[in-house]
Amino acid sequence: MWGDIAIAFLLAFITAFVLTPYTMRLAKKVGAIDIPNDRRVNKKPMPRLGGVAVICGFLVSTVYLLIVMNLEHSVDLFGEEQYWLKMLGFFIGIVILGITCFIDDAKGVPSWVKLIMQIIAAVIVVACGVRIQNVHLPFLDDKIGLNEWFSCGLTICWIIGITNAINLIDGLDGLSSGITLISCFSLLIIFTLNKSPIIAVLLIAALGGAIVGFLPFNFSPARTFIGDTGSNFLGFSLAIISILRSSQNIYSNCANCANYCTCFSNF
């Protein structure tokens, strides 16, 4: 299983690293340029579509591994948990935010429009089954189950809040991407230690790989910015993956097991 995690990371890394120079050219063509002013740290015009490469790296890695692992019957996307539907909602949300923020980076979009699109993306994800269903109190073994409507509302607020939190800290070279990368490595350790569903581990590994592929172009002095396209995607993904890690029963009958198994036992 560590091999699948390595593939998720490397495939996302290579894709993002290769595509980032092309996003710099694209940014110049569509006018997605950050112009220096008194509030900017950059001293010269800077392309700001690096987020497109990060999104592509994440999607290429994730879609490839989900298809391969489902064909190998090491993960069941169509089982009781209906992970195919949850991932579909996740991907639709990424597309909605990606298109909105791409337009914002290139031409500018009012903040209220972006907020509405964030709400729509979050509602779609929740409608597809991604929800915070219970709360685990620190130092206690008990979990508090949440009412369905309260669960939906809390999940929507969580997704919007984390999305904007990462977006708002994107003010210095490598800041939002660097903080998200630290979060990815921390969550990867937590997921593996807690025997979280393998789908959550693969998603966080792919997200970390995509960021690592982009960061060489974003370290100070930066050659490109991640833009709203990237910062919104990073926050949106972190929020959803952190919810998915609490789900259970994603494992299907694999070749080495007679019953449902947690493949972390093979680590």
Side-chain angles (χ1 to χ4, degrees), residues 3 13 26 29 32 40 43 46 71 84 91 96 115 139-140 147 176 178 186 189 262 264-265:
F13 165 77
L26 176 63
K29 290 183 179 180
R40 306 288 186 183
K43 303 302 181 182
M46 191 75 64
L71 291 175
W84 71 270
F91 292 156
I96 291 174
L115 179 59
F139 309 112
L140 296 177
N147 173 274
S176 63
S186 300
I189 295 172
T262 54
F264 284 103
S265 63

Side-chain angles (χ1 to χ4, degrees), residues 48-71:
R48 55 182 180 190
L49 279 183
V52 174
V54 177
I55 293 175
C56 290
F58 175 79
L59 290 179
V60 168
S61 176
T62 300
V63 171
Y64 169 78
L65 278 168
L66 288 179
I67 293 174
V68 170
M69 294 185 71
N70 189 67
L71 291 175

